Amino acid sequence: MTAPNSAERRVCWDARDLLWKCLDDNHDSAEACQKQQSHFQDKCPAQWVRYFSKRRDFLKYKERIQTEGFTPAEGPREKS
Amino acid sequence: QAVHSGPITELHRRKQLAPPIRMTQMLCQSRSQSQGSDPLNSGVTVKLRTRLLVSLLFGGGLLGAWAYVYWEKQQRRWQQRTEQLRKVALGQGTFSLVDHTGRRRTKQDFLGSWVLLYFGFTHCPDICPDELDKLSAAVAVLDQDASLPPVQPLFITVDPERDGVPALARYVKDFHPRLIGLTGTPEEVKHAGRDYRVYASPGPKDQDGDYIVDHSILIYLLSPDGLFLDYYNRMKSSEQIADSVRNHMRSYQRL
């Protein structure tokens, strides 16, 4: 399968941006953004859909850590 | 309400009181000295003006000295970095690859030109297009300066399985017109990547056989000797890259 060209990349990125804006406006509610989600999956290769979803999860996680802090994992309870 | 006390605040209080006393003493002295000859006021103001001028010149001199020392330190730091990168000695080897027109190219073919090199793959979702856009923009900025030699942008794939000559040809035309894409057999590509210590790891294939290649994201600057001089990561803008390349070119010519 051939890689997306410049125009196709842009269409995919725009669809992703629309989806992310919808999710931002609806507190990450997947139900509210079904239309954008299916448009996004239509315009982007499956690998890219997965890649961008993981990217969004990561960006959200990073934002959470930066604003709320995090508790480090506890070490082993038993002495090794 | 906290009351400030202690030796430091005592000193502070004394400092605040001291200057006015000294100033009036100085004025009284100058007044008594100039009383005989000049009118009182002009004598005092002339002394003040020269004092001000001397202070300004002295201050300006200090500032100039500081600026020079700062600039010199920046230069030295930059030279040290270049030396360290030279010791790392990436890109010492040769590579033999095929360009996007099907022509075989080796490292020798690019000696004599400044090269900005990026490793990526055509199925890359966003990072490679962004970096290549940035690279193209940096080269375009440098093109505008007629006093500088032209820079050769290069793109080497880390995905030889899918990025053959036709795929590369389709890909590179979206970027700078002088951009050359390079590919080859998996062995040739791996050899070129190893020379620049590029990390590349294809991910799992999905049901369409599609996969993403995880790889290190850097733009490398090579001198006309083919030596690795500098690198630029995701955070460097095209302007910063252009400035850095210009800097390298100027110091290189001086040598």
Side-chain angles (χ1 to χ4, degrees), chain B residues 63-122:
Chain B
L63 212 67
W66 174 84
Y68 172 72
V69 167
Y70 178 76
W71 174 84
E72 206 202 20
K73 182 175 176 190
Q74 295 293 89
Q75 286 294 96
R76 205 164 355 124
R77 202 182 280 170
W78 182 81
Q79 272 166 9
Q80 275 177 350
R81 180 185 144 89
T82 309
E83 260 313 301
Q84 282 168 353
L85 288 180
R86 201 177 298 224
K87 282 206 198 108
V88 170
L90 290 190
Q92 292 279 300
T94 61
F95 58 72
S96 175
L97 297 164
V98 178
D99 75 12
H100 64 275
T101 67
R103 199 171 122 199
R104 180 144 295 266
R105 307 274 209 147
T106 65
K107 181 132 167 257
Q108 267 61 27
D109 296 336
F110 298 107
L111 293 180
S113 309
W114 289 87
V115 171
L116 277 173
L117 169 60
Y118 178 72
F119 287 83
F121 66 113
T122 67

Side-chain angles (χ1 to χ4, degrees), chain B residues 91-188:
Chain B
Q92 292 279 300
T94 61
F95 58 72
S96 175
L97 297 164
V98 178
D99 75 12
H100 64 275
T101 67
R103 199 171 122 199
R104 180 144 295 266
R105 307 274 209 147
T106 65
K107 181 132 167 257
Q108 267 61 27
D109 296 336
F110 298 107
L111 293 180
S113 309
W114 289 87
V115 171
L116 277 173
L117 169 60
Y118 178 72
F119 287 83
F121 66 113
T122 67
H123 282 72
C124 186
D126 54 354
I127 297 180
C128 301
D130 277 348
E131 292 299 289
L132 283 173
D133 271 334
K134 196 169 70 174
L135 204 161
S136 305
V139 175
V141 166
L142 292 164
D143 283 344
Q144 285 168 2
D145 190 339
S147 70
L148 299 176
V151 176
Q152 175 60 60
L154 282 187
F155 171 71
I156 300 185
T157 182
V158 295
D159 188 13
E161 309 265 342
R162 289 185 295 185
D163 291 346
V165 170
L168 273 191
R170 262 194 306 271
Y171 196 65
V172 299
K173 65 175 162 53
D174 288 330
F175 304 103
H176 194 278
R178 285 208 305 280
L179 178 67
I180 295 179
L182 294 170
T183 180
T185 67
E187 256 316 305
E188 288 168 337

Side-chain angles (χ1 to χ4, degrees), chain B residues 242-253:
Chain B
D243 284 342
S244 171
V245 174
R246 202 180 292 124
N247 219 3
H248 278 285
M249 282 177 168
R250 294 219 172 105
S251 70
Y252 189 82
Q253 280 165 5

Side-chain angles (χ1 to χ4, degrees), chain A:
Chain A
M1 49 169 280
T2 54
N5 65 21
S6 170
E8 289 162 352
R9 281 199 295 267
R10 218 159 293 271
V11 165
C12 167
W13 294 344
D14 288 344
R16 172 204 63 188
D17 290 340
L18 282 174
L19 172 65
W20 285 9
K21 180 153 189 337
C22 171
L23 288 173
D24 283 341
D25 292 340
N26 290 291
H27 302 290
D28 296 328
S29 137
E31 298 84 36
C33 302
Q34 293 278 24
K35 197 172 72 118
Q36 284 84 352
Q37 179 74 31
S38 55
H39 175 68
F40 170 55
Q41 280 174 251
D42 184 48
K43 296 295 173 197
C44 299
Q47 277 285 313
W48 292 25
V49 170
R50 251 185 44 206
Y51 170 86
F52 286 130
S53 306
K54 279 198 277 192
R55 177 102 185 118
R56 184 177 167 82
D57 288 344
F58 171 71
L59 288 171
K60 287 275 146 191
Y61 175 64
K62 196 167 90 155
E63 201 185 295
R64 223 178 59 225
I65 294 188
Q66 282 172 337
T67 51
E68 294 171 21
F70 73 107
T71 53
E74 288 174 8
R77 285 178 207 280
E78 294 179 358
K79 288 203 184 122
S80 51

Side-chain angles (χ1 to χ4, degrees), chain A residues 1 45-48 50, chain B residues 203-212:
Chain A
M1 49 169 280
Q47 277 285 313
W48 292 25
R50 251 185 44 206
Chain B
K205 291 189 183 165
D206 66 8
Q207 57 216 32
D208 302 321
D210 196 1
Y211 55 91
I212 297 216

Side-chain angles (χ1 to χ4, degrees), chain B residues 21-68:
Chain B
I21 294 172
R22 271 198 266 123
M23 275 274 278
T24 48
Q25 276 179 344
M26 284 190 331
L27 282 173
C28 282
Q29 277 177 358
S30 57
R31 205 172 291 174
S32 59
Q33 280 170 8
S34 61
Q35 201 139 45
S37 46
D38 289 310
L40 185 73
N41 283 327
S42 75
V44 168
T45 47
V46 163
K47 272 240 153 122
L48 209 60
R49 206 177 293 155
T50 46
R51 246 188 264 263
L52 263 173
L53 197 66
V54 167
S55 310
L56 275 174
L57 280 174
F58 187 60
L62 273 179
L63 212 67
W66 174 84
Y68 172 72

